[in-house]
Amino acid sequence: MKAVKIGLCGLGTVGAGTFNLLSSNRNTINAHANRDIQITVVGARRDNPACALGDTAVERDVLAVVDSDVDIIVELIGGTTIAKELVLKAIAMGKHVVTANKALIAEHGNEIFAAASAQGVQVVYEAAVAGGIPIIKSLREGLAANRIEWLAGIINGTGNFILTEMRDKGRVFTDVLAEAQALGYAEADPTFDVEGIDAAHKLVILAALAFGMPLRFDAVYTEGIGNIEPADVTYAEELGYRIKHLGIARRREHGVELRVHPTLVPENRLIAQVDGVMNAVMVQGDAVGPTLYYGAGAGAGPTASAVVADIIDVARHIDATGDQRVAHLGVAESAIIDLPVLDISEVETACYLRASVLDKPGVLSSIAQIMSSHGISIEAIIQKQPEAGQDHVPLIMLTNLSSELNLRTAISEIEQLDTVAGALVSIRVEAL
Ligand code: HSE
């Protein structure tokens, strides 16, 4: 069998991890690929002491790697500028592409896949979502017989690490974020982790595969974890829940929900036990029922594991024609349906609410009256004792299922009561 030649672009944590894995597990990898896989050129502005390149050719201009004699371009640069140029150039020159770049696929995947299909080349991206968890292949191949009903995932390790440390050690947000950055988990711009943009990139990819729809990064509702206070973590626990930052995609009658937000999850669910930087994705298929995928979502080894699996996949199918391969989004392009993405106001969830209220008779009933006038029923209430010298107390409520529109209206009416101080905290609840 002819050897498959790789141009590896980007030599950061994942690039170095991929280089090292291809060398350390060479025999296993070649046996799975049924051919020899060789990195013939590395494209990187600078070396990385985490890997010894030996006599591998190095190109400082990554775009020039595409001009060399390689079959597959492995794009591990990140971002959507040079990486996009590189990938489109590779496709135009008939080279296959392996990428770990979630922003690139989520924001430009429709254009990239169309170009790749026209050229008859593969663009694969297992490492773009949940690092080492083979969730892309699970959706594209393992669950291909199912109509996927919904999926929900902890798909940002940094955010999960922050929430876990706040719960277990009562640490404050900024302090934990600094540690996640030092550990190398956070994005170059950590607001991508904290504000849910990174999770939204990944959710869009999962939803496209799950529902056979185009990538709709423009339509995801995104809320970060920056407003989660230690008090809410504690009250959620008292009510039997844990706060997780979830990406949720749900098929509804008239479209799909795509949303990323902090969520109260019953503490007895397996996904509620996923702590630290670990990732997990639940997928509900009509035939298989609920399934759960768990593993490391970032780091050199786990991400390289996914990148190299993709290299093996492309290498094994290198002589196949387009329809002999799994399509970029799992279904043939003609089968992709442009499902409408529902506005957040059309979503229905239960909700956790916290208000700061005056400790006097009648306050609770006026709040309950507003809730009932919008058809919202209250499942549980906790009222705390006032602190010494304080006349306001925290009032925590858990509602039953209600439309987002009704909830928002009720919340704004409650906030106008002169017995209620400041804004209400609201966090959606999912039974999963
Ligand atoms: N910043 C990401 C995370 C890295 O924390 O999950 C992996 O995509």
Side-chain angles (χ1 to χ4, degrees), residues 29 32-33 35 37 72 98 122 124 126 137 140-141 306-320 325-326:
I29 291 163
H32 279 105
R35 62 204 78 206
I37 292 177
I72 305 174
V98 173
Q122 298 180 78
V124 285
E126 181 64 70
K137 285 187 179 62
R140 276 193 347 175
E141 297 160 45
V307 170
V308 175
D310 269 350
I311 293 173
I312 292 170
D313 207 18
V314 173
R316 289 178 58 209
H317 294 98
I318 206 140
D319 298 320
R325 303 179 190 130
V326 181

PDB file of all heavy atoms in Angstrom, residues 29 32-33 35 37 72 98 122 124 126 137 140-141 306-320 325-326:
ATOM      1  N   ILE A  29      -1.177   2.480  14.896  1.00  0.00           N
ATOM      2  CA  ILE A  29      -1.879   3.395  13.974  1.00  0.00           C
ATOM      3  C   ILE A  29      -1.783   2.870  12.537  1.00  0.00           C
ATOM      4  O   ILE A  29      -2.788   2.783  11.824  1.00  0.00           O
ATOM      5  CB  ILE A  29      -1.292   4.823  14.115  1.00  0.00           C
ATOM      6  CG1 ILE A  29      -1.679   5.386  15.483  1.00  0.00           C
ATOM      7  CG2 ILE A  29      -1.770   5.737  12.980  1.00  0.00           C
ATOM      8  CD1 ILE A  29      -0.865   6.585  15.935  1.00  0.00           C
ATOM      9  N   HIS A  32      -4.099  -0.064  12.019  1.00  0.00           N
ATOM     10  CA  HIS A  32      -5.508   0.315  11.850  1.00  0.00           C
ATOM     11  C   HIS A  32      -5.751   0.964  10.486  1.00  0.00           C
ATOM     12  O   HIS A  32      -6.808   0.782   9.884  1.00  0.00           O
ATOM     13  CB  HIS A  32      -5.952   1.268  12.971  1.00  0.00           C
ATOM     14  CG  HIS A  32      -6.303   0.548  14.228  1.00  0.00           C
ATOM     15  ND1 HIS A  32      -5.497   0.536  15.335  1.00  0.00           N
ATOM     16  CD2 HIS A  32      -7.378  -0.203  14.549  1.00  0.00           C
ATOM     17  CE1 HIS A  32      -6.057  -0.197  16.285  1.00  0.00           C
ATOM     18  NE2 HIS A  32      -7.195  -0.667  15.830  1.00  0.00           N
ATOM     19  N   ALA A  33      -4.778   1.725  10.020  1.00  0.00           N
ATOM     20  CA  ALA A  33      -4.937   2.410   8.729  1.00  0.00           C
ATOM     21  C   ALA A  33      -4.669   1.465   7.560  1.00  0.00           C
ATOM     22  O   ALA A  33      -5.028   1.757   6.428  1.00  0.00           O
ATOM     23  CB  ALA A  33      -3.996   3.601   8.650  1.00  0.00           C
ATOM     24  N   ARG A  35      -1.941   1.000   6.256  1.00  0.00           N
ATOM     25  CA  ARG A  35      -0.903   1.607   5.415  1.00  0.00           C
ATOM     26  C   ARG A  35      -0.008   2.485   6.299  1.00  0.00           C
ATOM     27  O   ARG A  35      -0.363   2.759   7.441  1.00  0.00           O
ATOM     28  CB  ARG A  35      -1.478   2.389   4.239  1.00  0.00           C
ATOM     29  CG  ARG A  35      -2.342   3.559   4.607  1.00  0.00           C
ATOM     30  CD  ARG A  35      -3.291   3.894   3.476  1.00  0.00           C
ATOM     31  NE  ARG A  35      -4.410   2.959   3.474  1.00  0.00           N
ATOM     32  CZ  ARG A  35      -5.131   2.636   2.397  1.00  0.00           C
ATOM     33  NH1 ARG A  35      -4.832   3.122   1.223  1.00  0.00           N
ATOM     34  NH2 ARG A  35      -6.148   1.808   2.490  1.00  0.00           N
ATOM     35  N   ILE A  37       1.563   5.765   7.678  1.00  0.00           N
ATOM     36  CA  ILE A  37       1.203   7.190   7.756  1.00  0.00           C
ATOM     37  C   ILE A  37       2.459   7.968   8.136  1.00  0.00           C
ATOM     38  O   ILE A  37       3.078   7.682   9.152  1.00  0.00           O
ATOM     39  CB  ILE A  37       0.069   7.404   8.783  1.00  0.00           C
ATOM     40  CG1 ILE A  37      -1.211   6.765   8.239  1.00  0.00           C
ATOM     41  CG2 ILE A  37      -0.139   8.893   9.062  1.00  0.00           C
ATOM     42  CD1 ILE A  37      -2.387   6.822   9.160  1.00  0.00           C
ATOM     43  N   ILE A  72      -2.876  14.696   3.019  1.00  0.00           N
ATOM     44  CA  ILE A  72      -3.802  15.202   4.039  1.00  0.00           C
ATOM     45  C   ILE A  72      -3.182  16.415   4.727  1.00  0.00           C
ATOM     46  O   ILE A  72      -2.022  16.364   5.167  1.00  0.00           O
ATOM     47  CB  ILE A  72      -4.098  14.129   5.124  1.00  0.00           C
ATOM     48  CG1 ILE A  72      -4.613  12.827   4.486  1.00  0.00           C
ATOM     49  CG2 ILE A  72      -5.095  14.655   6.161  1.00  0.00           C
ATOM     50  CD1 ILE A  72      -4.799  11.673   5.485  1.00  0.00           C
ATOM     51  N   VAL A  98      -8.004  17.289   7.924  1.00  0.00           N
ATOM     52  CA  VAL A  98      -8.387  16.887   9.287  1.00  0.00           C
ATOM     53  C   VAL A  98      -8.227  18.137  10.138  1.00  0.00           C
ATOM     54  O   VAL A  98      -7.183  18.797  10.078  1.00  0.00           O
ATOM     55  CB  VAL A  98      -7.469  15.764   9.822  1.00  0.00           C
ATOM     56  CG1 VAL A  98      -7.752  15.477  11.297  1.00  0.00           C
ATOM     57  CG2 VAL A  98      -7.626  14.494   8.998  1.00  0.00           C
ATOM     58  N   GLN A 122     -12.328  14.856   1.604  1.00  0.00           N
ATOM     59  CA  GLN A 122     -12.941  14.754   2.931  1.00  0.00           C
ATOM     60  C   GLN A 122     -12.446  15.876   3.844  1.00  0.00           C
ATOM     61  O   GLN A 122     -11.273  16.238   3.800  1.00  0.00           O
ATOM     62  CB  GLN A 122     -12.558  13.432   3.586  1.00  0.00           C
ATOM     63  CG  GLN A 122     -13.038  12.217   2.839  1.00  0.00           C
ATOM     64  CD  GLN A 122     -12.606  10.951   3.562  1.00  0.00           C
ATOM     65  OE1 GLN A 122     -13.198  10.557   4.552  1.00  0.00           O
ATOM     66  NE2 GLN A 122     -11.564  10.328   3.067  1.00  0.00           N
ATOM     67  N   VAL A 124     -12.692  16.227   7.925  1.00  0.00           N
ATOM     68  CA  VAL A 124     -13.168  15.545   9.131  1.00  0.00           C
ATOM     69  C   VAL A 124     -12.727  16.315  10.378  1.00  0.00           C
ATOM     70  O   VAL A 124     -11.700  17.012  10.362  1.00  0.00           O
ATOM     71  CB  VAL A 124     -12.709  14.077   9.177  1.00  0.00           C
ATOM     72  CG1 VAL A 124     -13.515  13.228   8.211  1.00  0.00           C
ATOM     73  CG2 VAL A 124     -11.233  13.960   8.875  1.00  0.00           C
ATOM     74  N   GLU A 126     -13.412  15.301  14.112  1.00  0.00           N
ATOM     75  CA  GLU A 126     -13.781  14.643  15.377  1.00  0.00           C
ATOM     76  C   GLU A 126     -13.267  15.415  16.594  1.00  0.00           C
ATOM     77  O   GLU A 126     -13.944  15.520  17.617  1.00  0.00           O
ATOM     78  CB  GLU A 126     -13.197  13.215  15.393  1.00  0.00           C
ATOM     79  CG  GLU A 126     -13.512  12.416  16.637  1.00  0.00           C
ATOM     80  CD  GLU A 126     -14.994  12.145  16.804  1.00  0.00           C
ATOM     81  OE1 GLU A 126     -15.548  11.366  16.031  1.00  0.00           O
ATOM     82  OE2 GLU A 126     -15.613  12.727  17.732  1.00  0.00           O
ATOM     83  N   LYS A 137     -18.254  10.619  15.483  1.00  0.00           N
ATOM     84  CA  LYS A 137     -18.440   9.298  14.853  1.00  0.00           C
ATOM     85  C   LYS A 137     -19.665   8.603  15.449  1.00  0.00           C
ATOM     86  O   LYS A 137     -20.376   7.880  14.752  1.00  0.00           O
ATOM     87  CB  LYS A 137     -17.192   8.443  15.014  1.00  0.00           C
ATOM     88  CG  LYS A 137     -16.074   8.877  14.080  1.00  0.00           C
ATOM     89  CD  LYS A 137     -14.885   7.930  14.117  1.00  0.00           C
ATOM     90  CE  LYS A 137     -13.798   8.377  13.152  1.00  0.00           C
ATOM     91  NZ  LYS A 137     -13.227   9.709  13.467  1.00  0.00           N
ATOM     92  N   ARG A 140     -22.548  10.329  13.599  1.00  0.00           N
ATOM     93  CA  ARG A 140     -22.544  10.113  12.142  1.00  0.00           C
ATOM     94  C   ARG A 140     -22.750   8.652  11.785  1.00  0.00           C
ATOM     95  O   ARG A 140     -23.357   8.336  10.779  1.00  0.00           O
ATOM     96  CB  ARG A 140     -21.182  10.537  11.557  1.00  0.00           C
ATOM     97  CG  ARG A 140     -21.060  11.982  11.260  1.00  0.00           C
ATOM     98  CD  ARG A 140     -19.860  12.355  10.397  1.00  0.00           C
ATOM     99  NE  ARG A 140     -18.836  11.346  10.210  1.00  0.00           N
ATOM    100  CZ  ARG A 140     -17.792  11.489   9.407  1.00  0.00           C
ATOM    101  NH1 ARG A 140     -17.647  12.588   8.714  1.00  0.00           N
ATOM    102  NH2 ARG A 140     -16.892  10.551   9.294  1.00  0.00           N
ATOM    103  N   GLU A 141     -22.181   7.765  12.643  1.00  0.00           N
ATOM    104  CA  GLU A 141     -22.160   6.354  12.272  1.00  0.00           C
ATOM    105  C   GLU A 141     -22.872   5.459  13.276  1.00  0.00           C
ATOM    106  O   GLU A 141     -23.816   4.755  12.936  1.00  0.00           O
ATOM    107  CB  GLU A 141     -20.713   5.901  12.070  1.00  0.00           C
ATOM    108  CG  GLU A 141     -20.047   6.666  10.915  1.00  0.00           C
ATOM    109  CD  GLU A 141     -18.533   6.645  10.951  1.00  0.00           C
ATOM    110  OE1 GLU A 141     -17.955   5.581  11.176  1.00  0.00           O
ATOM    111  OE2 GLU A 141     -17.917   7.728  10.767  1.00  0.00           O
ATOM    112  N   ALA A 306      -8.291  11.959  19.019  1.00  0.00           N
ATOM    113  CA  ALA A 306      -9.362  12.182  18.034  1.00  0.00           C
ATOM    114  C   ALA A 306      -8.796  12.585  16.670  1.00  0.00           C
ATOM    115  O   ALA A 306      -9.273  12.134  15.629  1.00  0.00           O
ATOM    116  CB  ALA A 306     -10.310  13.255  18.560  1.00  0.00           C
ATOM    117  N   VAL A 307      -7.757  13.434  16.683  1.00  0.00           N
ATOM    118  CA  VAL A 307      -7.149  13.876  15.414  1.00  0.00           C
ATOM    119  C   VAL A 307      -6.589  12.667  14.663  1.00  0.00           C
ATOM    120  O   VAL A 307      -6.822  12.483  13.461  1.00  0.00           O
ATOM    121  CB  VAL A 307      -6.033  14.919  15.673  1.00  0.00           C
ATOM    122  CG1 VAL A 307      -5.237  15.195  14.407  1.00  0.00           C
ATOM    123  CG2 VAL A 307      -6.609  16.216  16.240  1.00  0.00           C
ATOM    124  N   VAL A 308      -5.871  11.808  15.395  1.00  0.00           N
ATOM    125  CA  VAL A 308      -5.224  10.668  14.725  1.00  0.00           C
ATOM    126  C   VAL A 308      -6.278   9.651  14.253  1.00  0.00           C
ATOM    127  O   VAL A 308      -6.136   9.053  13.175  1.00  0.00           O
ATOM    128  CB  VAL A 308      -4.146  10.037  15.639  1.00  0.00           C
ATOM    129  CG1 VAL A 308      -3.563   8.789  14.995  1.00  0.00           C
ATOM    130  CG2 VAL A 308      -3.034  11.049  15.916  1.00  0.00           C
ATOM    131  N   ALA A 309      -7.355   9.498  15.014  1.00  0.00           N
ATOM    132  CA  ALA A 309      -8.438   8.604  14.554  1.00  0.00           C
ATOM    133  C   ALA A 309      -8.975   9.104  13.211  1.00  0.00           C
ATOM    134  O   ALA A 309      -9.256   8.307  12.304  1.00  0.00           O
ATOM    135  CB  ALA A 309      -9.558   8.554  15.590  1.00  0.00           C
ATOM    136  N   ASP A 310      -9.117  10.423  13.078  1.00  0.00           N
ATOM    137  CA  ASP A 310      -9.572  10.993  11.801  1.00  0.00           C
ATOM    138  C   ASP A 310      -8.548  10.762  10.685  1.00  0.00           C
ATOM    139  O   ASP A 310      -8.918  10.476   9.537  1.00  0.00           O
ATOM    140  CB  ASP A 310      -9.811  12.504  11.956  1.00  0.00           C
ATOM    141  CG  ASP A 310     -11.239  12.837  12.365  1.00  0.00           C
ATOM    142  OD1 ASP A 310     -12.100  11.931  12.339  1.00  0.00           O
ATOM    143  OD2 ASP A 310     -11.493  14.018  12.693  1.00  0.00           O
ATOM    144  N   ILE A 311      -7.266  10.904  11.017  1.00  0.00           N
ATOM    145  CA  ILE A 311      -6.225  10.667   9.998  1.00  0.00           C
ATOM    146  C   ILE A 311      -6.329   9.212   9.504  1.00  0.00           C
ATOM    147  O   ILE A 311      -6.283   8.934   8.298  1.00  0.00           O
ATOM    148  CB  ILE A 311      -4.816  10.959  10.575  1.00  0.00           C
ATOM    149  CG1 ILE A 311      -4.655  12.456  10.877  1.00  0.00           C
ATOM    150  CG2 ILE A 311      -3.728  10.483   9.611  1.00  0.00           C
ATOM    151  CD1 ILE A 311      -3.355  12.827  11.597  1.00  0.00           C
ATOM    152  N   ILE A 312      -6.518   8.295  10.450  1.00  0.00           N
ATOM    153  CA  ILE A 312      -6.631   6.872  10.081  1.00  0.00           C
ATOM    154  C   ILE A 312      -7.849   6.666   9.170  1.00  0.00           C
ATOM    155  O   ILE A 312      -7.784   5.977   8.151  1.00  0.00           O
ATOM    156  CB  ILE A 312      -6.752   5.996  11.361  1.00  0.00           C
ATOM    157  CG1 ILE A 312      -5.434   6.036  12.146  1.00  0.00           C
ATOM    158  CG2 ILE A 312      -7.161   4.569  11.018  1.00  0.00           C
ATOM    159  CD1 ILE A 312      -5.506   5.402  13.533  1.00  0.00           C
ATOM    160  N   ASP A 313      -8.953   7.310   9.549  1.00  0.00           N
ATOM    161  CA  ASP A 313     -10.194   7.173   8.779  1.00  0.00           C
ATOM    162  C   ASP A 313     -10.006   7.667   7.337  1.00  0.00           C
ATOM    163  O   ASP A 313     -10.408   7.003   6.378  1.00  0.00           O
ATOM    164  CB  ASP A 313     -11.274   8.005   9.497  1.00  0.00           C
ATOM    165  CG  ASP A 313     -12.646   7.462   9.242  1.00  0.00           C
ATOM    166  OD1 ASP A 313     -12.757   6.294   8.830  1.00  0.00           O
ATOM    167  OD2 ASP A 313     -13.613   8.219   9.442  1.00  0.00           O
ATOM    168  N   VAL A 314      -9.404   8.850   7.218  1.00  0.00           N
ATOM    169  CA  VAL A 314      -9.186   9.406   5.874  1.00  0.00           C
ATOM    170  C   VAL A 314      -8.228   8.496   5.098  1.00  0.00           C
ATOM    171  O   VAL A 314      -8.462   8.182   3.921  1.00  0.00           O
ATOM    172  CB  VAL A 314      -8.631  10.850   5.939  1.00  0.00           C
ATOM    173  CG1 VAL A 314      -8.254  11.347   4.542  1.00  0.00           C
ATOM    174  CG2 VAL A 314      -9.643  11.785   6.578  1.00  0.00           C
ATOM    175  N   ALA A 315      -7.166   8.051   5.766  1.00  0.00           N
ATOM    176  CA  ALA A 315      -6.166   7.205   5.086  1.00  0.00           C
ATOM    177  C   ALA A 315      -6.816   5.924   4.561  1.00  0.00           C
ATOM    178  O   ALA A 315      -6.556   5.501   3.434  1.00  0.00           O
ATOM    179  CB  ALA A 315      -5.029   6.876   6.047  1.00  0.00           C
ATOM    180  N   ARG A 316      -7.695   5.317   5.371  1.00  0.00           N
ATOM    181  CA  ARG A 316      -8.340   4.059   4.955  1.00  0.00           C
ATOM    182  C   ARG A 316      -9.277   4.256   3.774  1.00  0.00           C
ATOM    183  O   ARG A 316      -9.532   3.328   3.017  1.00  0.00           O
ATOM    184  CB  ARG A 316      -9.105   3.454   6.130  1.00  0.00           C
ATOM    185  CG  ARG A 316      -8.156   2.899   7.186  1.00  0.00           C
ATOM    186  CD  ARG A 316      -8.920   2.346   8.358  1.00  0.00           C
ATOM    187  NE  ARG A 316      -9.832   1.306   7.951  1.00  0.00           N
ATOM    188  CZ  ARG A 316     -10.961   1.033   8.574  1.00  0.00           C
ATOM    189  NH1 ARG A 316     -11.323   1.734   9.620  1.00  0.00           N
ATOM    190  NH2 ARG A 316     -11.739   0.059   8.164  1.00  0.00           N
ATOM    191  N   HIS A 317      -9.849   5.469   3.668  1.00  0.00           N
ATOM    192  CA  HIS A 317     -10.811   5.718   2.583  1.00  0.00           C
ATOM    193  C   HIS A 317     -10.214   6.559   1.464  1.00  0.00           C
ATOM    194  O   HIS A 317     -10.939   7.118   0.655  1.00  0.00           O
ATOM    195  CB  HIS A 317     -12.054   6.417   3.148  1.00  0.00           C
ATOM    196  CG  HIS A 317     -12.821   5.538   4.082  1.00  0.00           C
ATOM    197  ND1 HIS A 317     -12.687   5.609   5.438  1.00  0.00           N
ATOM    198  CD2 HIS A 317     -13.718   4.558   3.832  1.00  0.00           C
ATOM    199  CE1 HIS A 317     -13.470   4.701   5.995  1.00  0.00           C
ATOM    200  NE2 HIS A 317     -14.110   4.051   5.048  1.00  0.00           N
ATOM    201  N   ILE A 318      -8.892   6.652   1.437  1.00  0.00           N
ATOM    202  CA  ILE A 318      -8.269   7.612   0.528  1.00  0.00           C
ATOM    203  C   ILE A 318      -8.559   7.306  -0.946  1.00  0.00           C
ATOM    204  O   ILE A 318      -8.610   8.203  -1.769  1.00  0.00           O
ATOM    205  CB  ILE A 318      -6.748   7.724   0.825  1.00  0.00           C
ATOM    206  CG1 ILE A 318      -6.248   9.093   0.394  1.00  0.00           C
ATOM    207  CG2 ILE A 318      -5.936   6.603   0.195  1.00  0.00           C
ATOM    208  CD1 ILE A 318      -5.269   9.702   1.345  1.00  0.00           C
ATOM    209  N   ASP A 319      -8.796   6.030  -1.231  1.00  0.00           N
ATOM    210  CA  ASP A 319      -9.096   5.686  -2.630  1.00  0.00           C
ATOM    211  C   ASP A 319     -10.590   5.556  -2.896  1.00  0.00           C
ATOM    212  O   ASP A 319     -10.995   5.217  -4.010  1.00  0.00           O
ATOM    213  CB  ASP A 319      -8.388   4.368  -3.003  1.00  0.00           C
ATOM    214  CG  ASP A 319      -6.868   4.515  -2.900  1.00  0.00           C
ATOM    215  OD1 ASP A 319      -6.366   5.579  -3.304  1.00  0.00           O
ATOM    216  OD2 ASP A 319      -6.212   3.592  -2.379  1.00  0.00           O
ATOM    217  N   ALA A 320     -11.413   5.848  -1.859  1.00  0.00           N
ATOM    218  CA  ALA A 320     -12.868   5.707  -2.030  1.00  0.00           C
ATOM    219  C   ALA A 320     -13.435   6.896  -2.792  1.00  0.00           C
ATOM    220  O   ALA A 320     -12.862   7.985  -2.783  1.00  0.00           O
ATOM    221  CB  ALA A 320     -13.534   5.599  -0.660  1.00  0.00           C
ATOM    222  N   ARG A 325     -17.965   7.170   1.142  1.00  0.00           N
ATOM    223  CA  ARG A 325     -17.556   7.704   2.454  1.00  0.00           C
ATOM    224  C   ARG A 325     -18.784   8.201   3.195  1.00  0.00           C
ATOM    225  O   ARG A 325     -19.808   8.490   2.585  1.00  0.00           O
ATOM    226  CB  ARG A 325     -16.624   8.888   2.283  1.00  0.00           C
ATOM    227  CG  ARG A 325     -15.396   8.607   1.488  1.00  0.00           C
ATOM    228  CD  ARG A 325     -14.601   9.912   1.392  1.00  0.00           C
ATOM    229  NE  ARG A 325     -13.522   9.764   0.448  1.00  0.00           N
ATOM    230  CZ  ARG A 325     -13.273  10.625  -0.540  1.00  0.00           C
ATOM    231  NH1 ARG A 325     -14.017  11.705  -0.682  1.00  0.00           N
ATOM    232  NH2 ARG A 325     -12.276  10.421  -1.353  1.00  0.00           N
ATOM    233  N   VAL A 326     -18.650   8.365   4.531  1.00  0.00           N
ATOM    234  CA  VAL A 326     -19.731   8.999   5.290  1.00  0.00           C
ATOM    235  C   VAL A 326     -19.709  10.482   4.933  1.00  0.00           C
ATOM    236  O   VAL A 326     -18.645  11.102   4.935  1.00  0.00           O
ATOM    237  CB  VAL A 326     -19.528   8.807   6.803  1.00  0.00           C
ATOM    238  CG1 VAL A 326     -20.662   9.454   7.582  1.00  0.00           C
ATOM    239  CG2 VAL A 326     -19.421   7.339   7.147  1.00  0.00           C
TER     240      VAL A 326
END
